[in-house]
Amino acid sequence: MLVVALLIALPIHADWYYAVDKQSRWQGDLNARMAAIEEVFGGQLGVYVQNLASGEAYAWKADEPWYLASLIKVPVAAQVLAEHQAGRLALDERITLARSDYVDGAGPVNWHDPGTPISIRYLLEQMITVSDNTASDMLIDRVGLEAVNTRVTSMVAASGGKPDHIGPISKLVGVRQGVYGQLHPDAQGLGGLDFMALRKHSVSQRPVALARVLSVRQDAFAQPDYDSAFDAYEATGENVGTLRAFGDVLASLHHGGMADLNSEQRQTLLAVMSRTSSGERRLKQGLGSDIHFAHKTGTQHRRSCDAGIASRTSSAQGPWVIVACSRGPLSVSAHERALASVGEALRFSGALADL
């Protein structure tokens, strides 16, 4: 908790955001390292780093649009905590799990039977630490999707960023409806349990399975395969943003700027992010054991992300916002190796030292 408190308590100067044009010697070295990692990876990387004390930033394809996957759960959590601060919900309040709430993916909420009352505190913890999709959608339903989207834009704006550089956030079941809907519009009417059944099939066989579920011919599909369907969905802009803009989201957890999300709530969220257990082989592995990393991961088809606030427990340097995403190979392990290499590159380049 001491580290989390330090992340918030460090002094912030009003013009910190505008110092991003400063260039240190390590930045050129980091460019070479990123190019080498991409070559080995066989896909694309996007990286954004900002020192929250000095404002100096580094960007590698960070101003391109990236699918943010479960990184969008950070502003969901922030909205939940803002509602808690306002007295509109209690973290011990229980929400009853319905059959319509189930979404495929990691996490223990799906292990519960329909009709089980589950606390908001537990849902928040599972949404962040293990990226539970069912927990996320239950919380979005509780606070409202419109409020979540207002939250993410206010977090970017609070850091002096560009709110229109993050597209609209959707529910996680909406992602499935959006992707499969690119194959056939009738898929928009399917629910979470339908998508859980479809996920049991390999990626190459999912269009075949969808055709059976919808009782349509596969030659009626608008896209030739699942890869193309996901690319078409990403092009809609849902859950898509620049890594710089998401860095602004994270920066707002450090410096504040929103009256309805005070230091206590921000510290609560950073403490939960510090307990994240997904993504141990991503940035955290490369950064090394002397770096404390309060972070959130995201994983989707051929896409992975890791993002958070890093700090050294034994140094006044930093803290740093780090956002990294990858796209390309099908294997998640290939993405994790690339993101771990990004962490190593940051550590050995001097990016996480005095700037």
Side-chain angles (χ1 to χ4, degrees):
M1 289 300 291
L2 175 60
V3 172
V4 174
L6 287 172
L7 292 180
I8 293 176
L10 284 172
I12 292 298
H13 304 290
D15 60 348
W16 71 271
Y17 183 85
Y18 300 100
V20 297
D21 58 344
K22 179 182 175 185
Q23 295 285 312
S24 293
R25 285 177 294 178
W26 56 263
Q27 295 213 18
D29 177 70
L30 203 50
N31 281 341
R33 291 175 184 270
M34 292 303 163
I37 295 169
E38 271 196 336
E39 185 175 358
V40 172
F41 173 51
Q44 290 183 305
L45 291 173
V47 179
Y48 181 72
V49 181
Q50 187 172 72
N51 184 298
L52 291 176
S54 70
E56 181 179 12
Y58 169 78
W60 176 268
K61 301 180 182 177
D63 294 308
E64 298 177 8
W66 289 85
Y67 185 75
L68 300 174
S70 288
L71 297 189
I72 60 93
K73 294 172 183 175
V74 172
V76 174
Q79 182 58 31
V80 169
L81 292 170
E83 298 278 348
H84 172 60
Q85 178 180 322
R88 291 189 289 268
L89 62 77
L91 296 182
D92 291 329
E93 174 189 328
R94 293 180 178 269
I95 303 174
T96 301
L97 177 66
R99 285 183 61 83
S100 59
D101 289 328
Y102 291 100
V103 186
D104 61 282
V109 176
N110 284 352
W111 304 346
H112 295 79
D113 294 329
T116 302
I118 305 176
S119 74
I120 288 177
R121 188 187 307 276
Y122 179 82
L123 293 172
L124 181 66
E125 182 84 15
Q126 303 311 313
M127 175 180 69
I128 296 296
T129 61
V130 296
S131 209
D132 192 302
N133 291 333
T134 299
S136 177
D137 277 7
M138 291 175 72
L139 291 174
I140 290 174
D141 285 340
R142 175 62 180 82
V143 300
L145 187 57
E146 182 178 355
V148 169
N149 277 289
T150 299
R151 174 63 46 189
V152 72
T153 58
S154 69
M155 294 174 84
V156 176
S159 298
K162 299 178 179 179
D164 61 346
H165 283 198
I166 286 190
I169 290 174
S170 71
K171 291 178 62 176
L172 278 299
V173 72
V175 174
R176 280 73 178 156
Q177 291 166 337
V179 173
Y180 285 101
Q182 295 295 330
L183 292 169
H184 195 285
D186 289 355
Q188 293 278 1
L190 298 179
L193 293 175
D194 298 311
F195 298 119
M196 290 174 71
L198 287 169
R199 189 173 180 175
K200 293 178 181 178
H201 299 273
S202 66
V203 170
S204 63
Q205 291 301 306
R206 287 176 192 173
V208 177
L210 178 66
R212 288 199 299 266
V213 169
L214 299 179
S215 299
V216 299
R217 291 171 56 91
Q218 198 173 342
D219 58 13
F221 283 0
Q223 299 292 337
D225 51 39
Y226 189 84
D227 283 354
S228 300
F230 204 103
D231 289 344
Y233 169 69
E234 182 176 352
T236 68
E238 279 192 353
N239 304 310
V240 170
T242 69
L243 304 192
R244 189 185 301 272
F246 194 79
D248 291 330
V249 169
L250 294 173
S252 75
L253 297 180
H254 170 69
H255 61 66
M258 296 167 289
D260 63 345
L261 196 66
N262 62 22
S263 175
E264 179 183 355
Q265 306 309 320
R266 289 183 282 117
Q267 183 168 331
T268 295
L269 178 48
L270 286 168
V272 176
M273 292 169 65
S274 298
R275 295 192 290 273
T276 291
S277 58
S278 59
E280 290 292 314
R281 295 185 177 91
R282 299 188 185 186
L283 286 174
K284 189 174 181 179
Q285 177 174 295
L287 290 173
S289 59
D290 61 332
I291 295 287
H292 176 272
F293 196 37
H295 67 129
K296 179 73 191 77
T297 61
T299 307
Q300 253 296 354
H301 180 64
R302 297 185 183 274
R303 295 152 176 87
S304 293
C305 293
D306 197 2
I309 299 180
S311 61
R312 291 185 185 274
T313 56
S314 59
S315 172
Q317 300 168 4
W320 302 266
V321 158
I322 305 174
V323 186
C325 287
S326 57
R327 55 186 172 220
L330 182 61
S331 168
V332 174
S333 61
H335 292 258
E336 292 187 326
R337 285 193 298 271
L339 293 172
S341 296
V342 169
E344 289 179 350
L346 295 174
R347 176 158 55 105
F348 291 118
S349 69
L352 306 185
D354 283 320
L355 300 179

